[in-house]
Amino acid sequence: MLKNFLIVATLSGAVMASAQPAAAHFDTQSKVFRLDGGGTTYAFGVNARGELQQIYWGGHLAETDAIPWAVPMRAWASFDSSHTTTPEEYAGWGAGLFVEPALKITFADGNRDLVLHYESHTTIANGVDVVLKDIERKIYVTLHYTIDLQTGILARSATIENREAAPVTVEQAAAAAWALPPAHYTLNYLTGRWAGEWNLTEEPLRPGVRVIESRRGSTSHQANPWFAIQSGESSEEHGEVWFGALAWSGSWRITVEQDQLDAVRVTGGFNPFDFGYVLHPRERLETPVFYAGYSPDGLGGASRLLHSFELHNVLPRTAATASASTPKPRPVIYNSWEATEFNVDEAGQIALAEKAAALGVDRFVMDDGWFGQRKNDHAGLGDWYVNSQKFPHGLKPLIDRVHALGMDFGLWVEPEMVNPDSDLYRKHPDWALNFPGRPRSEERNQLVLNLARDDVRDYVLGFLDKLLNENDIAFLKWDYNRNWSEPGWDQLPAAEQKKVYVQFTRNLYSILAELRRKHPNVEIESCSGGGGRVDLGILRYTDEVWPSDNTDPFDRLTIQDGFTYAYTPQVMMAWVTDSPHWMNKRTTSLSYRMLSSMQGSLGIGANINHWTPEEMALAKRLIAAYHEVQPTIVQGELYRLISPRNGSEFSATQTVRADKGQSVVFAFIHSTQEGRGFPILKLKGLDSATQYAFTSIEGKAKPGTPAVASGAWWMNHGLEMDDAFRGDFQAVAFRLDRK
Ligand code: DGJ
C-alpha cells in the first residue's frame, strides 16, 4: 500500500473499483501529487523553491512505488539558470525563464515579473485543484487536474484570478504545459488547407520551438490542436506515445519545445498573438482544457484511447440517449448541397427526399439556399426567414413529406456570418467585426458577426430558437465559411478590445449549450467549409463534424486516415457524391465511393435523381449492410492496417467491437503496378481462440478465404486477397462475426 499517502479521491464506478487504485494521491512528506488512471501515472510535486514541478508521465507505476524527485533542478552555467531548465507545471514569465511561459502578465505599475509558487490544494473527483500564487502580488492561479480512470487521459486547465487592487493585463495564458525528459522523439501533428485537411505531418524533434497554431479566430483547416510525440522506437502499433488535444475553437497555440538540455515541453492554450485580456480586481480568466494521454501501443494505441475518451467523456447526448454510455451511431443522411447547391425549392427537395428514402436513408438535410434572398453566395446571410419564392408554404410541407417517408429533417445554417447584402447588415452594420473607419475585408462576400457582443449573441440564439420552435427540425448543420479579419470590438475601451478572442468563442459555446438545453433532442454538426472547426471544445456541444469539402473518395482515404489520429470515426461524416468528382475529375465506381464513405458515418450527397436503377439498388444494399455493422465501424477499436499516405498503392482499416465479437475490414487499391497484388492482411485485436465467420460486404467472391477461422488464423496467417483484386480504384469490405 502507499504509505504516508492521503487518498484524496476514490473511484465512483463500481466496475472500475476492483481493478483500479484510487486516482489521486498527495504525499504530505515529499509533497508529491500522483494521478493514476488506465495504464498511466502522472506525478508532479512542490520543489525546494516552492514551484510546481513535473516529475513523471508514462506507464502505470505500482502502488507501492514511491516517486522520487527524478528531475532535479539543474542549471547550465550562468546562461541557463534552473528557472529555465526546471519543467514547471505552469510557469509564470519571471525570474530567469527563457522557455515558453504558461502565463505572462503586465501589472498596472509596469511590473512584468511573475513567479508562481505552490499555495494550497483541494481534492476533487479523480483529481486535484492546486492553487499557485505570485511570490509577492495577489495573482492566484488554480490548476485543475483530473484523470480518466478508463483511458488515463488527463484534463488540465487553469483559472487566473486578480486579487490586486488594480487591473492587470494577461498577455499569454496556457491551459497546461506537459514535459518529457531528454530523448529522441518524433513529433506528429495535423496540417492542411481547405479541401485538403488532416495531413499527418511527422518530423524529428530538434532543439528549438515548433509552433502549431491558429491566428484566425477559429480552429482552422491549416493546423488542428492535436499533437502526438513518439519515442525513438515507436511506430503505428508499438512503442511509447504522448499525445494531447486542446479543447478550444478560437485562436489557439501549441508550442513544442526542445530546450538547451534536450528536454521537451508542450505548452498550449489561447494564442498569445494579438492577445490581451484585462482582469479587473476579483475577475477571473478560465483557460480552455488541454487533454493529454500516454500510450505504450504506438500511434494506433494513442488514437484508440482518444476515440474511447471522446465517445465516453466529450460528446454530448440527446435527451433520448442521455443515459447511454456512448452516443448513438449517426443516422445515415442525405444532404442536398452537391446535388442542388443554392437552387433549393419545395418540389426539388421533395423529389430528392423520395429517392433518399428509397435508399434507406434515415435523415434528409436541406443545405444552403432556403432563406432570405439567397440565390448564390452574394446575399442573404443574416436574414433567417424562409424564402417565400422557393418555399411558398414555409418549410412545413417539405418537413411533413420527409417525415411521411420515414426520415427526420435537418437544416443548414451559418449563424455567425452576414452578407453586406442583407437586411441584417443594413440595420446593424456595427455588428460585424471591424475597426471603425477601416476597410472590411470580405471573403465569400461575407463578414463575421461579432458574436462577443451581447446583442449579437442574443440575436443568434433568438433566431435559432425560433427556427427550432416553429419547425420540426432534428438536426442543424452549423456552417462557418471564413476566418476573421479586422477583429475590432469598439464597444469596449481600447485596452480591452482584444477580449474578443475569448468572448466570441465563449458565446458560441453558450449559444450551443442553451440551444441543446431548450431543444434536448436536436443534434448539431460542426462544419466550417469542411474541417475548419473540429476540436474537443466544439465536440462538447456538437454530435458530428464535416471533415472536408473534398468528397473525392480517393482523396478522402487520406483525409479520413489523418482525421482518425485525433478524432473518432463516430463524428466523421462521409458522403458519397457524384463521379467524375467535381474537384479533380476522377472517375470511380459507386461501390468504391460507398466503401470509402462507409469508413466513417455514412451520408449520401450525390444527385440521386441521376442514379440508374442498378445504382439505386447497389446503394440500398450497401446502406443496409452498413446499418448492420455501423456500431462496430464507428465505435469499435480502430486499427490502421495499411496507411494510404505517401502515395501508397494500398490502404486498409479494421475496427473491432469492444467485446471482440465482430470486426469490419475495408481495403482499397489506388492502382496496382507490375502485377504486384495486395499484401497479406494480418488482422489485429481479435480474440485468438474465438472462431470468426467471414462475410463479404460488397459481395465480391474471395476464392480461398476460409468461411470460418480462429482469431489466431486471421491475425497470424492473415488474409490473402483474391488475385483478381487489382487495377485502379478498387475496394473490398468484409465482416467477421463470432460463431
Ligand atoms: C460549406 C460546406 O462545407 C458545404 O458542405 C456546404 O454546406 C456549403 N458551405 C454551403 O454554402
Side-chain angles (χ1 to χ4, degrees):
M1 284 303 295
L2 291 162
K3 292 213 176 88
N4 299 325
F5 275 68
L6 175 67
I7 295 179
V8 292
T10 52
L11 298 171
S12 48
V15 181
M16 307 294 301
S18 56
Q20 302 264 343
H25 307 89
F26 178 62
D27 183 326
T28 45
Q29 275 172 11
S30 65
K31 293 190 179 157
V32 170
F33 295 89
R34 173 177 169 162
L35 299 168
D36 293 284
T40 299
T41 296
Y42 187 85
F44 57 97
V46 185
N47 69 20
R49 249 192 325 245
E51 298 152 351
L52 212 58
Q53 177 174 338
Q54 201 253 28
I55 303 173
Y56 175 82
W57 181 24
H60 185 247
L61 304 178
E63 277 186 69
T64 46
D65 291 331
I67 297 184
W69 275 99
V71 189
M73 293 187 292
R74 305 169 295 171
W76 192 250
S78 54
F79 291 95
D80 285 312
S81 75
S82 66
H83 286 284
T84 213
T85 58
T86 297
E88 281 189 61
E89 285 288 289
Y90 201 85
W93 185 70
L97 190 82
F98 299 114
V99 292
E100 195 63 41
L103 186 62
K104 183 175 184 311
I105 284 181
T106 293
F107 291 85
D109 62 358
N111 169 50
R112 303 190 307 283
D113 184 57
L114 182 74
V115 178
L116 297 170
H117 280 187
Y118 169 83
E119 179 84 0
S120 63
H121 72 273
T122 319
T123 60
I124 55 174
N126 299 333
V128 61
D129 282 347
V130 183
V131 179
L132 310 179
K133 181 189 165 295
D134 178 61
I135 48 175
E136 178 250 336
R137 308 238 169 156
K138 291 187 189 135
I139 296 296
Y140 288 80
V141 179
T142 305
L143 303 183
H144 311 286
Y145 293 82
T146 55
I147 191 160
D148 176 41
L149 300 180
Q150 204 97 42
T151 60
I153 289 181
L154 292 135
R156 288 184 55 190
S157 63
T159 304
I160 301 140
E161 184 179 359
N162 176 19
R163 292 195 207 156
E164 291 280 292
V168 302
T169 303
V170 178
E171 290 162 349
Q172 183 161 348
W178 309 94
L180 295 173
H184 291 293
Y185 295 109
T186 300
L187 171 66
N188 298 264
Y189 54 106
L190 291 161
T191 57
R193 58 199 168 277
W194 175 78
E197 304 89 334
W198 312 109
N199 302 289
L200 186 74
T201 305
E202 304 157 271
E203 63 196 26
L205 264 184
R206 301 254 185 258
V209 187
R210 160 59 71 192
V211 176
I212 318 168
E213 67 171 348
S214 165
R215 298 179 175 190
R216 297 162 180 264
S218 60
T219 322
S220 97
H221 302 77
Q222 289 71 14
N224 192 263
W226 169 89
F227 75 90
I229 295 176
Q230 296 172 269
S231 70
E233 304 74 38
S234 170
S235 60
E236 175 67 19
E237 289 299 335
H238 300 284
E240 294 189 293
V241 176
W242 295 263
F243 58 92
L246 187 66
W248 187 242
S249 314
S251 290
W252 58 273
R253 190 175 82 168
I254 296 174
T255 57
V256 184
E257 184 171 18
Q258 190 169 49
D259 74 13
Q260 310 79 341
L261 304 176
D262 293 336
V264 171
R265 240 166 287 197
V266 182
T267 308
F270 298 123
N271 195 326
F273 177 81
D274 197 35
F275 194 80
Y277 194 102
V278 175
L279 275 183
H280 293 280
R282 309 306 293 191
E283 278 186 353
R284 296 173 178 186
L285 172 62
E286 304 270 350
T287 73
V289 176
F290 201 170
Y291 297 100
Y294 164 82
S295 164
D297 299 318
L299 290 169
S303 37
R304 287 189 289 276
L305 289 175
L306 255 179
H307 296 172
S308 168
F309 183 76
E310 290 158 2
L311 285 165
H312 290 92
N313 300 291
V314 178
L315 290 169
R317 306 281 186 279
T318 57
T321 59
S323 59
S325 68
T326 59
K328 70 175 178 10
R330 311 306 307 136
V332 172
I333 64 138
Y334 177 81
N335 179 289
S336 66
W337 175 244
E338 291 197 22
T340 53
E341 295 202 339
F342 300 97
N343 300 321
V344 295
D345 62 21
E346 190 180 302
Q349 294 298 297
I350 286 178
L352 284 169
E354 284 168 353
K355 291 264 183 180
L359 293 174
V361 159
D362 307 307
R363 170 172 290 167
F364 182 84
V365 183
M366 179 162 64
D367 210 282
D368 200 348
W370 59 269
F371 55 91
Q373 295 307 306
R374 188 79 164 163
K375 298 186 183 68
N376 49 42
D377 61 15
H378 286 258
L381 287 175
D383 299 342
W384 297 103
Y385 59 86
V386 179
N387 181 297
S388 58
Q389 275 108 46
K390 298 178 181 185
F391 296 92
H393 315 289
L395 296 178
K396 193 166 186 312
L398 170 61
I399 296 177
D400 286 350
R401 184 69 188 127
V402 165
H403 288 165
L405 289 164
M407 300 179 289
D408 66 23
F409 180 77
L411 193 64
W412 180 95
V413 287
E414 192 174 3
E416 299 141 279
M417 298 288 168
V418 65
N419 287 117
D421 185 0
S422 66
D423 296 341
L424 183 73
Y425 188 75
R426 284 182 280 273
K427 198 166 164 201
H428 297 291
D430 52 324
W431 279 13
L433 283 177
N434 77 96
F435 290 117
R438 304 286 302 172
R440 300 173 176 204
S441 303
E442 293 176 22
E443 300 293 342
R444 209 195 193 206
N445 313 300
Q446 64 196 55
L447 298 167
V448 184
L449 288 172
N450 184 356
L451 203 63
R453 293 173 60 121
D454 291 347
D455 44 11
V456 175
R457 182 204 56 207
D458 293 349
Y459 170 76
V460 169
L461 178 60
F463 90 73
L464 287 168
D465 186 35
K466 183 163 179 280
L467 193 64
L468 295 176
N469 281 331
E470 291 176 355
N471 300 282
D472 194 347
I473 293 171
F475 169 78
L476 290 175
K477 174 177 171 180
W478 184 304
D479 209 343
Y480 183 85
N481 278 303
R482 60 161 294 182
N483 296 128
W484 290 12
S485 57
E486 300 101 15
W489 183 5
D490 68 343
Q491 283 181 314
L492 299 191
E496 302 197 21
Q497 292 185 8
K498 292 175 181 172
K499 193 176 179 183
V500 69
Y501 286 102
V502 176
Q503 197 57 31
F504 186 111
T505 304
R506 294 239 178 279
N507 280 356
L508 168 65
Y509 291 159
S510 79
I511 292 169
L512 288 164
E514 185 62 5
L515 277 181
R516 294 197 80 107
R517 193 187 64 74
K518 291 186 158 181
H519 306 276
N521 276 318
V522 168
E523 298 179 331
I524 304 174
E525 175 179 283
S526 174
C527 170
S528 173
R533 194 155 63 184
V534 182
D535 57 77
L536 293 189
I538 202 90
L539 280 171
R540 285 187 300 234
Y541 307 100
T542 54
D543 306 82
E544 60 184 54
V545 301
W546 182 227
S548 181
D549 273 352
N550 184 347
T551 54
D552 176 280
F554 172 66
D555 287 5
R556 268 287 176 138
L557 297 181
T558 315
I559 287 170
Q560 291 170 181
D561 173 78
F563 184 94
T564 62
Y565 280 89
Y567 303 104
T568 164
Q570 161 81 12
V571 301
M572 183 174 78
M573 298 308 291
W575 305 345
V576 175
T577 57
D578 286 316
S579 173
H581 192 261
W582 61 271
M583 182 172 274
N584 51 27
K585 315 299 176 210
R586 180 176 291 119
T587 300
T588 51
S589 69
L590 180 58
S591 174
Y592 181 87
R593 281 177 274 150
M594 289 289 300
L595 266 49
S596 169
S597 294
M598 285 161 65
Q599 280 190 319
S601 285
L602 177 64
I604 307 291
N607 190 343
I608 46 180
N609 288 324
H610 298 158
W611 280 11
T612 63
E614 293 73 30
E615 286 174 320
M616 290 292 286
L618 174 62
K620 182 177 178 179
R621 188 169 64 70
L622 289 176
I623 289 172
Y626 176 78
H627 270 136
E628 282 181 23
V629 287
Q630 185 184 2
T632 299
I633 295 173
V634 298
Q635 298 193 2
E637 301 259 292
L638 174 70
Y639 295 88
R640 291 175 290 255
L641 299 178
I642 305 175
S643 166
R645 277 178 282 123
N646 306 319
S648 171
E649 294 165 34
F650 312 108
S651 68
T653 58
Q654 179 198 0
T655 40
V656 183
R657 201 170 64 197
D659 69 356
K660 295 185 186 290
Q662 186 178 72
S663 182
V664 179
V665 175
F666 292 96
F668 300 89
I669 290 176
H670 174 208
S671 50
T672 42
Q673 296 180 39
E674 303 162 20
R676 281 171 32 221
F678 205 93
I680 291 180
L681 264 189
K682 297 196 175 183
L683 304 187
K684 297 191 186 297
L686 302 172
D687 179 38
S688 300
T690 296
Q691 296 290 317
Y692 293 94
F694 173 98
T695 312
S696 169
I697 288 179
E698 89 294 341
K700 286 185 201 138
K702 292 184 185 54
T705 304
V708 178
S710 68
W713 194 93
W714 297 110
M715 292 192 290
N716 299 328
H717 178 281
L719 178 71
E720 282 175 58
M721 288 291 181
D722 176 4
D723 211 37
F725 188 46
R726 291 174 187 280
D728 297 340
F729 305 115
Q730 299 295 315
V732 293
F734 60 87
R735 56 189 276 187
L736 299 178
D737 292 276
R738 183 189 293 141
K739 273 290 281 177

